[in-house]
Amino acid sequence: MPETSDTAAKSTAETDTTAPESQAEPTDDLVTTRHSITVKRRKLAYTAQTGRIVLRKEVLNDGTFDGHKPKAEVHVTAYTLDGADPTTRPVTFAFNGGPGSSSIWLHLGVLGPRRAVAGDVNAPEPPPYGLADNPDTLLTHSDLVFIDPVSTGYSRAVDGEKPADYHGFTPDVESVGEVIRLWTSRNQRWLSPKFVAGESYGTLRAAALAAHLQSRHALYLNGLLLISSVLDMGTIRFTEGNDLPYSLFVPTYAAIAHHHGKHGDRELSDVLAEAEEFASRDLPWALQRGARLDADERAEIVAKLAELTGLSEAYVDRVNLRIEHVRFFTELLRDEGLVTGRMDGRFTTWEPDGGREHMSDDASVSRIIGAYSAAFNHYVRAELEYGSDLPYEILSTEVNRAWSYSDFEGRAVSVVDSLSGAMRENPHLKVHVALGRYDGATPYYAAEHVIAQLQIPDQLRENVETAYYPAGHMMYVHPESRVQQGKDLAAFVKSASNR
């Protein structure tokens, strides 16, 4: 017999007065799978573990301990070689930058055992894309842990917590450092050689982490892998009164101009040598002279800067010798209706507005991000067997826009002092710096400038090595560079492991 309307109303009212059940605390949801890859006829069996681990914080109320409260769930993907001795097997913790980027680029670009099939500048892969084994993976020589900072990938603040609490320099370093400490402890890896790999803003995070892990947990690293390095944001930000980037970007401008035929049949090495000398001497001198330059001096600087960058003398003169990077990318090939990429100046795309000073699309991102997105979203479910209805946040522009640098109020964002201190305290800390010649986001000459400013004794300078690639920010997009980079990173980890 069906309920009457009165009975139904009574039942509903009674249900509404029932107190809701308390929400269960979040817990780790790691999934373990087993795989293998063949590298140079050697079969490597490895275990993958992916999912979210809960970060907790000790809470005090009026000086009384109130427990370890869950604050965030951080997504990680770890690969460990089966049967290896954890006291001799290195482990590398890796992430990208942004800030606001997931670790997808290093994960499926160069370091992980599987890679996205994205193609390169002259042959981008069409949809629906694909996955392939990565014989250049660092897993051959090191276990790997990929970390997605809060609000990237599948990482999120827990219910009731503010994501913005993690969107800043210090809380980001502390939270990523806590992930590293937890994974190291839970997997009994304190005696393993330990490395941190970061790309772009991730290099700034990595350098800060070296100091933080030492001071907070006495966790000393063997090495840092800094890929597309930026340790001092003042070297890449074109802000009023800061003339440094206008000089430090010139060698990259010259490299991109050379790639697009603006230097005839000259060797790239010759062009770069000339650009570096000009950027280190004549141009900084001219910029600081300002109105004190006489007409002949100014004309000479204008002519040389135009020749190196491939721009017209009239343009260089109009911008007062100061070529901002995005304006360069839109100006270089304007007469062809094209703009070059920022992340990788080898890429070009059509610009519908020929008068624009800021490109409407960075082809060096848009031509590859679809391949990485498709590859990861398939891979994490079909092969790593981790299911989530959350969107995997590859690049969050909202996080990037809201990022807080309050620790550096009134001064440039720099970790030069932090890295210098970490190296002095840990004289065994080695640093590998990987740089792309066509990287218009973190130019190689700016990185060289910063490395030279490290406050370390001469005997520690041999702990820093650099590697250069004929590609851009994600140099591993270029197949030949990926192969060479795989060898370079492996050699670095082997030499710095002290095992």
Side-chain angles (χ1 to χ4, degrees), residues 90-407:
V91 57
T92 300
F93 300 91
F95 38 73
N96 281 83
S101 175
S102 67
S103 62
I104 192 173
W105 309 102
L106 288 179
H107 188 174
L108 296 185
V110 63
L111 297 181
R114 299 279 275 163
R115 66 176 182 86
V117 179
D120 194 16
V121 59
N122 294 320
E125 189 74 11
Y129 311 113
L131 270 167
D133 279 346
N134 179 21
D136 307 303
T137 176
L138 190 59
L139 182 62
T140 306
H141 302 280
S142 172
D143 290 341
L144 303 168
V145 182
F146 295 96
I147 302 170
D148 292 331
V150 176
S151 300
T152 74
Y154 290 134
S155 300
R156 302 289 190 274
V158 301
D159 288 353
E161 297 296 325
K162 297 178 180 178
D165 287 347
Y166 295 90
H167 301 166
F169 174 82
T170 294
D172 172 70
V173 169
E174 292 175 345
S175 60
V176 174
E178 180 65 359
V179 173
I180 292 173
R181 184 195 70 82
L182 282 174
W183 195 94
T184 299
S185 297
R186 291 176 179 178
N187 291 275
Q188 302 179 33
R189 301 301 294 269
W190 275 86
L191 292 183
S192 299
K194 290 176 283 294
F195 297 82
V196 168
E199 180 179 296
S200 194
Y201 180 86
T203 64
L204 191 140
R205 177 190 290 131
L209 274 168
H212 171 75
L213 291 170
Q214 286 179 198
S215 63
R216 177 65 181 87
H217 303 298
L219 191 160
Y220 281 54
L221 300 173
N222 288 70
L224 296 175
L225 290 69
L226 306 182
I227 300 169
S228 301
S229 179
V230 53
L231 304 180
D232 181 346
M233 301 289 271
T235 62
I236 67 169
R237 288 185 167 174
F238 296 83
T239 54
E240 185 177 357
N242 178 26
D243 278 340
L244 192 56
Y246 294 109
S247 296
L248 297 179
F249 272 73
V250 167
T252 294
Y253 295 159
I256 295 172
H258 180 276
H259 180 80
H260 293 290
K262 302 296 185 179
H263 287 284
D265 58 0
R266 292 188 64 188
E267 292 292 331
L268 176 61
S269 57
D270 293 339
V271 172
L272 294 184
E274 184 179 1
E276 290 169 14
E277 182 177 3
F278 179 72
S280 65
R281 295 180 184 273
D282 294 350
L283 184 56
W285 172 80
L287 295 180
Q288 64 89 17
R289 291 286 293 170
R292 293 171 293 181
L293 274 179
D294 65 35
D296 290 341
E297 290 170 335
R298 181 180 177 88
E300 184 177 347
I301 295 296
V302 166
K304 177 56 68 175
L305 187 53
E307 176 190 347
L308 289 169
T309 61
L311 304 178
S312 71
E313 292 186 19
Y315 181 84
V316 172
D317 190 46
R318 281 201 307 274
V319 299
N320 196 24
L321 312 180
R322 292 165 173 82
I323 305 171
E324 194 276 335
H325 69 324
V326 175
R327 296 173 78 178
F328 170 80
F329 307 139
T330 55
E331 183 68 23
L332 181 65
L333 303 177
R334 187 183 297 277
D335 59 350
E336 301 176 44
L338 300 173
V339 294
T340 69
R342 173 175 177 261
M343 295 294 185
D344 191 329
R346 298 175 304 139
F347 285 76
T348 62
T349 192
W350 307 279
E351 178 50 63
D353 182 350
R356 189 189 295 268
E357 287 197 305
H358 295 82
M359 73 265 252
S360 55
D361 173 39
D362 184 351
S364 55
V365 176
S366 62
R367 298 283 170 82
I368 65 172
I369 194 171
Y372 278 77
S373 177
F376 183 86
N377 278 285
H378 168 82
Y379 175 58
V380 72
R381 294 171 174 82
E383 298 186 24
L384 300 183
E385 300 179 10
Y386 181 80
S388 176
D389 286 337
L390 286 172
Y392 187 82
E393 296 289 350
I394 297 176
L395 283 169
S396 173
T397 55
E398 291 183 9
V399 169
N400 186 275
R401 282 196 298 265
W403 200 258
S404 171
Y405 297 101
S406 58
D407 307 73

